[in-house]
Amino acid sequence: MLGLGTLLAEQHLLMLLARWGGAAYLAFLAWQSLRRAWHSHALRADSRAPASRRQVLLATLAVTLLNPQVYLDTLVMLGVVGALQESPGGFFIGAALASFGWFFGLVAAASWLAPKLANPKAWRVIDTLIGITMAVIAWRLLAGAMLPA
């Protein structure tokens, strides 16, 4: 919020590139999600023996640190949005608490969610909602990019 987000928010060309790049990326994700909604799939729990603590830790670090979306979301999107707020520090704290609540909430609800996510119809609904949400956000980014500065 105080680094890259502030830089992007203050530089018109960088902000325009971030908008168009973000819109293109979100449009691609929307297309993928809507395409998945037309194909049957579901979450299938693996019946293999549980992985070791080391394997779980390495997999978690890989999914977190090697995921480009983590950097796009936290450095670019949240950074720019936070830098434009009246209280960037308050926005940062709120975003961190919301993220903490979301992910720990998913962990807490995992055993309740697992059987529901084994149903392909549930994934069709989820993928459709995600695709529509991504498309709307991409459109709003493009619409904002076309407004005069």
Side-chain angles (χ1 to χ4, degrees), residues 4 21-33 36 61-79 99 102-103 130-131 133-135 137 141:
L4 183 61
Y25 184 64
L26 288 171
F28 173 72
L29 292 176
W31 174 75
Q32 283 186 317
S33 188
R36 268 192 320 269
L61 287 173
V63 167
T64 303
L65 300 175
L66 299 177
N67 180 356
Q69 194 159 346
V70 168
Y71 300 103
L72 288 170
D73 288 349
T74 55
L75 293 177
V76 178
M77 188 190 74
L78 282 176
S99 180
W102 171 254
F103 288 111
I130 290 171
T133 301
M134 297 280 188
I137 295 170
L141 277 174

Side-chain angles (χ1 to χ4, degrees), residues 117-148:
L117 295 178
N119 182 346
K121 288 180 185 177
W123 281 103
R124 285 182 192 253
V125 170
I126 291 168
D127 283 331
T128 300
L129 290 173
I130 290 171
I132 290 169
T133 301
M134 297 280 188
V136 167
I137 295 170
W139 174 253
R140 301 238 2 225
L141 277 174
L142 288 177
M146 292 184 246
L147 294 175

Side-chain angles (χ1 to χ4, degrees), residues 41-98:
H41 68 284
L43 181 66
R44 301 273 185 245
D46 195 352
S47 60
R48 291 183 292 171
S52 71
R53 183 175 294 184
R54 182 176 188 272
Q55 289 173 315
V56 170
L57 181 61
L58 288 175
T60 302
L61 287 173
V63 167
T64 303
L65 300 175
L66 299 177
N67 180 356
Q69 194 159 346
V70 168
Y71 300 103
L72 288 170
D73 288 349
T74 55
L75 293 177
V76 178
M77 188 190 74
L78 282 176
V80 170
V81 172
L84 297 173
Q85 301 304 309
E86 189 174 314
S87 172
F91 182 86
F92 170 77
I93 291 169
L97 288 173

